[in-house]
């Protein structure tokens, strides 16, 4: 078991534990570490301001390597050992689904705040407090944008699990509304991540756009193989595809023109107070783990702190505090729990990678 972080004031007599079960190794390590780094920033800031009524917040992170069975096992261990008031920022639809199906949240009464998944199987479930837009929101905004650009032929590469199928189902449902023709649907295996067959299949398809309903490593492999073999369609990925991972593993030319959906503002939007606060904290707390997902972790930490300030430092008290949140403005990002069947936010935007490898809005 990997203990990735522990945040607290020096030797506190008591503290408020937030538990994170997320990949620190394996195919989604970059996303897990980025979330952890963002959570750490939010709780560090809260502790610097006196914690919650003088009580510090301590983040405990353990590594599930993106394996759902490990997510459940480690969550149960943390419940017994640490008595957390909340879980935060799991990574993966299958991982969140596993916690839900195993009854970990309902039996313990400990909520999960800010899971990475925007899937319909996760959002709206008891004890789940999403801090971002749903996958359906992302696909809706994507198809609306493509329609306005006059692009109508779309192929979908998807991970063959709950996450990928949720995005595919949203695409199937929303395509008619925006006069989008789904010209191909090509799956790849979640365990192997092998995208060779989808590359072969989608190179043969007359499509203007390929939507990558994938995770970071398979998406990078698809982009590399597809472009090396002459593919010319516009490549667009949802928020779970980590741009920082792509930048580290692809050449500038391979990544040029890639479009990414984001569920929070990018760091260059310094007109927003949340970005200015976030950048200031990052500068004061250097880490190699920061990535585009770190802002999502930071938002999740801010939401947990707001919930604790409104309620009590217990699982039930936190849930009561979270349920009272209405249009919480974090400085350019708003979270609202008036309807828990929807994502906590509806913020969706798109960024492009330019020829220099930089992110532009």
């Amino acid at each position: 078991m990997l203990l990735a972080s522990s945040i607290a004031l020096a030797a506190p007599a008591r503290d408020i534990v937030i538990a994170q079960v997320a990949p620190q190794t394996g195919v989604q390590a970059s996303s897990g570490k980025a979330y952890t780094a963002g959570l750490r920033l939010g709780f560090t800031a809260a502790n610097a301001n006196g914690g919650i009524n003088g009580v510090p917040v301590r983040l405990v992170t353990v590594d599930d390597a993106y394996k759902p069975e490990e997510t459940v096992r480690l969550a149960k261990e943390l419940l017994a050992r640490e008595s957390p008031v909340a879980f935060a920022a799991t990574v993966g639809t299958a991982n969140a689904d596993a916690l839900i199906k195993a009854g970990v949240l309902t039996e313990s009464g400990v909520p999960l705040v800010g899971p990475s998944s925007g899937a319909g199987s996760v959002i709206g479930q008891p004890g789940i407090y999403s801090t971002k837009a749903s996958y359906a929101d992302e696909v809706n905004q994507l198809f609306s944008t493509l329609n306005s650009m006059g692009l109508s032929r779309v192929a979908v590469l998807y991970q063959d699990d709950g996450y990928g199928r949720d995005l595919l189902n949203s695409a199937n449902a929303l395509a008619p509304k925006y006069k989008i023709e789904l010209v191909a649907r090509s799956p790849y295996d979640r365990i192997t991540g092998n995208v060779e067959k989808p590359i072969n299949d989608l190179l043969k398809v007359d499509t203007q756009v390929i939507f990558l309903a994938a995770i970071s490593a398979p998406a990078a492999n698809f982009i590399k193989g597809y472009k090396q073999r002459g593919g010319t369609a516009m490549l667009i990925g949802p928020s779970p595809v980590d741009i920082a991972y792509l930048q580290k593993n692809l050449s500038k030319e391979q990544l040029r023109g890639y479009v990414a959906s984001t569920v929070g503002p990018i760091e260059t939007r310094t007109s927003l107070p949340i970005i200015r606060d976030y950048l200031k904290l990052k500068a004061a707390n250097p880490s190699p783990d920061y990535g585009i997902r770190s802002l999502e972790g930071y938002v999740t930490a801010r939401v947990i702190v707001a919930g604790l300030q409104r309620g009590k430092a217990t699982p039930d008290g936190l849930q009561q505090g979270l349920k009272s949140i209405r249009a919480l403005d974090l400085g350019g990002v708003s979270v609202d729990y008036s309807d828990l069947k929807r994502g906590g936010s509806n913020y969706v935007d798109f960024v492009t990678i330019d020829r220099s490898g930089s992110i532009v809005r």
Side-chain angles (χ1 to χ4, degrees):
M1 183 186 303
L2 171 66
L3 184 64
S5 61
S6 181
I7 299 172
L9 300 180
R14 60 196 177 99
D15 49 29
I16 299 167
V17 175
I18 307 299
Q20 184 196 25
V21 185
Q24 307 293 302
T25 59
V27 295
Q28 281 289 70
S30 61
S31 290
K33 289 180 178 180
Y35 272 114
T36 303
L39 287 170
R40 185 183 296 118
L41 281 185
F43 295 137
T44 295
N47 287 342
N49 290 322
I52 306 300
N53 296 322
V55 182
V57 179
R58 179 162 61 95
L59 173 67
V60 177
T61 298
V62 294
D63 177 19
D64 65 7
Y66 195 54
K67 299 176 181 177
E69 66 276 10
E70 283 295 281
T71 309
V72 173
R73 182 183 70 82
L74 293 169
K76 290 179 177 179
E77 285 189 4
L78 286 172
L79 286 170
R81 189 178 75 242
E82 300 286 354
S83 299
V85 301
F87 292 107
T90 54
V91 174
T93 295
N95 305 73
D97 283 342
L99 286 178
I100 294 166
K101 291 174 183 176
V104 173
L105 306 179
T106 53
E107 291 175 14
S108 68
V110 176
L112 169 58
V113 185
S116 74
S117 177
S121 62
V122 176
I123 293 176
Q125 293 296 317
I128 299 288
Y129 296 84
S130 170
T131 57
K132 65 177 198 174
S134 69
Y135 293 150
D137 288 333
E138 291 191 53
V139 175
N140 184 77
Q141 189 59 49
L142 169 61
F143 282 5
S144 175
T145 301
L146 292 178
N147 177 268
S148 69
M149 295 170 64
L151 299 173
S152 60
R153 296 194 310 280
V154 177
V156 181
L157 166 75
Y158 69 97
Q159 183 162 285
D160 196 9
D161 67 355
Y163 156 65
R165 288 191 293 271
D166 189 89
L167 282 163
L168 177 64
N169 291 340
S170 293
N172 288 332
L174 290 164
K177 177 181 178 181
Y178 295 105
K179 299 180 181 179
I180 298 290
E181 179 187 2
L182 297 181
V183 296
R185 302 164 179 82
S186 187
Y188 72 88
D189 183 74
R190 180 184 197 269
I191 303 302
T192 67
N194 191 318
V195 292
E196 188 61 27
K197 186 177 186 301
I199 291 172
N200 290 332
D201 291 345
L202 297 183
L203 280 167
K204 301 172 186 176
V205 174
D206 179 19
T207 186
Q208 297 165 303
V209 174
I210 299 177
F211 179 51
L212 309 182
I215 61 172
S216 306
N221 291 335
F222 181 88
I223 294 168
K224 182 177 181 179
Y226 180 77
K227 289 202 169 182
Q228 283 180 339
R229 294 175 59 184
T232 59
M234 180 187 295
L235 303 179
I236 302 177
S239 61
V241 178
D242 193 317
I243 297 177
Y245 180 91
L246 300 184
Q247 290 172 315
K248 291 176 183 177
N249 289 276
L250 295 173
S251 70
K252 293 177 182 178
E253 187 56 34
Q254 288 167 345
L255 197 50
R256 179 183 177 185
Y258 174 77
V259 177
S261 170
T262 69
V263 289
I266 59 176
E267 293 183 16
T268 55
R269 295 194 64 190
T270 53
S271 61
L272 300 179
I274 190 171
I275 295 299
R276 294 198 298 272
D277 292 343
Y278 174 68
L279 292 176
K280 183 177 179 180
L281 284 166
K282 277 181 64 177
N285 298 274
S287 170
D289 296 331
Y290 293 127
I292 199 165
R293 313 305 293 275
S294 296
L295 181 65
E296 293 180 43
Y298 176 66
V299 167
T300 293
R302 292 275 302 269
V303 170
I304 290 172
V305 168
L308 289 169
Q309 290 171 336
R310 286 164 167 76
K312 296 180 180 179
T314 64
D316 182 65
L318 173 58
Q319 293 210 55
Q320 294 305 313
L322 291 170
K323 289 176 181 177
S324 72
I325 289 176
R326 300 290 183 273
L328 174 66
D329 184 4
L330 300 175
V333 172
S334 179
V335 175
D336 189 296
Y337 291 131
S338 58
D339 182 0
L340 290 174
K341 294 181 180 180
R342 296 183 55 81
S345 170
N346 60 7
Y347 186 106
V348 178
D349 202 355
F350 296 96
V351 297
T352 303
I353 307 299
D354 67 13
R355 66 179 62 203
S356 70
S358 301
I359 299 171
V360 294
R361 185 165 179 258

